[in-house]
Amino acid sequence: MADNLSQPFSKSAMTEEEKVQFQREKKQQVVAFVLMIFLTLLAFLAVAADFLPVMFVIPFILLLALVQFVLQMFYFMHLKDNDHGWANAFIWSGVFIAIPTIAALMLLLGITKY
C-alpha cells in the first residue's frame, strides 16, 4: 500500500464542471486583487500629490476604501456565495455594529478636538 504513495494521481477528485468553476473563481480573485492594488496605488498617489486639495483627497480616499471593502467582502469573504449563510450573517452583523461605533468615535473625537 505504501508503494503507491510516490506515484502521482492520475485523476483528480473534482469533476470537469468543478474544475471550470474553480478556474473561473481563481481568475476573478486575481482580477479583484490586481484591482485592489491599483486602488491602493491611486490612494497613495492622491496623498503623495501635493497639488491636490485636502478637501478632494479625503473623500476620494474614503471612496476608494469603500470600493475596496466591497470587493474584499464579495471576492475574498465569499459574500457572493449562497451556501455561506451563517458567515454572511456574522459579517453583516459586524458591519452593522462597526458603522455606528466608528461614527460615534468620530463624533467623540470631533467634539473633544474642537
Side-chain angles (χ1 to χ4, degrees):
M1 181 167 183
D3 296 336
N4 295 334
L5 293 177
S6 61
Q7 296 177 354
F9 291 108
S10 60
K11 282 190 165 185
S12 173
M14 296 172 62
T15 64
E16 289 299 320
E17 182 179 333
E18 289 173 336
K19 288 179 184 176
V20 170
Q21 185 178 4
F22 177 73
Q23 290 298 327
R24 186 179 327 129
E25 187 168 337
K26 189 167 74 172
K27 184 178 177 182
Q28 287 176 348
Q29 287 185 347
V30 168
V31 169
F33 178 72
V34 170
L35 184 60
M36 282 188 265
I37 294 294
F38 177 71
L39 293 176
T40 302
L41 187 63
L42 273 180
F44 174 74
L45 290 175
V47 171
D50 291 335
F51 58 87
L52 291 175
V54 176
M55 295 305 291
F56 170 76
V57 171
I58 292 174
F60 182 67
I61 290 175
L62 290 175
L63 178 69
L64 292 178
L66 179 69
V67 171
Q68 281 192 352
F69 176 75
V70 170
L71 282 175
Q72 286 184 9
M73 285 294 164
F74 276 94
Y75 289 105
F76 296 113
M77 299 301 286
H78 302 282
L79 280 183
K80 62 182 175 33
D81 297 339
N82 292 331
D83 56 344
H84 293 89
W86 281 106
N88 286 343
F90 285 127
I91 288 172
W92 284 115
S93 62
V95 167
F96 285 122
I97 290 172
I99 288 173
T101 304
I102 291 171
L105 287 173
M106 289 175 64
L107 183 64
L108 285 174
L109 290 175
I111 288 174
T112 57
K113 186 176 179 182
Y114 297 109

